Amino acid sequence: MKYVGNFINIVEPKWIEELLSKDGMFRPRDGKQPDSSEMEEEYSIARKAGYDDQGTYFQMFDKTNVSFEVIPPCGNPSNFHWWITKMMPGDFMPMHKDPHTMYQLNCKRYWMPLQDWQQGHIFAYEDEVIVNYRAGDVYEYENSQALHGAANIGLTPRLVLQFTTHD
Amino acid sequence: MKYLGNYQDWIQTSWIDDILSIQGFGAPKEFNIDKEIALGQRSTMHESERKVYKVYGTDKIFFYLLESKCLDFDIQPPWLNERFDWWVTKMYPGQFIPVHRDGPKHLKGKRYWMPLQDWQPGHIFMYENISITKYIAGDLWEYEDPLAIHGAINIGHSPRLILQVSTTGETV
């Protein structure tokens, strides 16, 4: 992961309050079904390992279920999409590769925590775990197809903004 | 964590087969913690335990714990000449141990951590702000601080098996 800089100035405190005060979309239970062979392969790998694609492992927010809009602070500002993951203690996202990044031209994938790092808040990128970060730090995936996953084995909710830009 | 060397030759293949074929105790649910405390069979929780169980509860299975009494083998760690306790933690994909500090009983002795398999993506052990990765089976680490905050999760695709050894501070 390549550290890009700190962009806490784009984060409004009321975002955090809103994200903590309501449920997001439950994933993978209420997510879309695989719509590509790559996505089906990711689901298949997870099912074989014992993960339940009808379970709830984390919550997701995007522009359809929050009152605010996010403009990514880096990457291509005219072609992007964003989402926020909320993990309550015990939530996780198994290791996987993002299928959507395969189709997008010059795809850049970014990761931005909305809180300072806390013990038990885990983001794994290949063989690396990102720690000691500050709210608003932005990291870019050096390889948008890298294996990654996340978990919260701490005592407080974990909020991370994810965004992807492309040509 | 202090790396002490590799003891892969000491690990028996039959141990892995045994560990994978026996379920073990589902922790914390099958320890009946609240009931044991109420009956006076267990000392009250120390602060770190209390904080963890307040958030996570004691009624679910987060991982499996296997001790000599439920396994067909016993161990004699070649690096030790002290009295010790040992156990194996088994985590299926999605299982975890929340970050916590061990209880005061570990203060007098040393805590050792040894993976029984080579590292795989998603097999995560956190010790303070350090993550141990790319290890191979039999690598041995010692906790530099027995009261360090630590935890683990398996967000990979295969079971994760770790041997844990704790000395009592008494020589044999």
Side-chain angles (χ1 to χ4, degrees), chain A residues 53-114:
Chain A
D53 55 16
Q54 294 304 305
T56 297
Y57 295 145
F58 65 98
Q59 297 170 49
M60 198 178 103
F61 296 89
D62 62 19
K63 61 185 178 185
T64 67
N65 63 343
V66 294
S67 65
F68 56 86
E69 178 60 277
V70 175
I71 306 295
C74 45
N76 182 353
S78 57
N79 235 345
F80 64 87
H81 73 277
W82 63 267
W83 66 100
I84 290 168
T85 49
K86 177 163 83 170
M87 290 185 175
M88 302 304 286
D91 284 354
F92 59 86
M93 175 83 175
M95 297 298 283
H96 66 284
K97 293 177 182 175
D98 289 336
H100 72 274
T101 58
M102 293 187 76
Y103 307 112
Q104 296 167 335
L105 191 63
N106 197 22
C107 178
K108 291 187 175 173
R109 182 83 164 77
Y110 298 92
W111 184 89
M112 177 177 173
L114 297 177

Side-chain angles (χ1 to χ4, degrees), chain B residues 18-95:
Chain B
D18 203 17
I19 292 163
L20 288 173
S21 66
I22 292 168
Q23 182 153 284
F25 289 101
K29 182 180 177 180
E30 292 174 4
F31 289 121
N32 296 313
I33 292 170
D34 295 327
K35 188 178 165 190
E36 286 188 1
I37 289 174
L39 292 172
Q41 294 166 345
R42 170 188 281 262
S43 57
T44 53
M45 294 182 193
H46 58 84
E47 192 188 345
S48 177
E49 257 187 317
R50 202 166 26 246
K51 278 184 188 168
V52 169
Y53 289 135
K54 190 176 173 189
V55 172
Y56 288 88
T58 57
D59 58 345
K60 294 187 182 74
I61 292 175
F62 296 138
F63 68 97
Y64 290 96
L65 190 144
L66 299 95
E67 300 169 290
S68 58
K69 63 186 175 192
C70 66
L71 291 164
D72 287 337
F73 63 91
D74 202 355
I75 67 164
Q76 181 54 60
W79 68 91
L80 278 183
N81 189 26
E82 295 172 73
R83 293 190 191 283
F84 64 94
D85 296 318
W86 68 274
W87 64 99
V88 171
T89 49
K90 177 168 65 173
M91 289 182 186
Y92 290 106
Q95 293 195 316

Side-chain angles (χ1 to χ4, degrees), chain A residues 49 51 95 119 127 132 153-154, chain B residues 56 99 128-129 134 155-157:
Chain A
Y51 295 106
M95 297 298 283
Q119 296 282 358
D127 59 9
N132 295 340
I153 53 171
Chain B
Y56 288 88
V99 290
E128 296 287 347
N129 62 355
K134 293 190 283 188
I155 50 171
H157 297 104

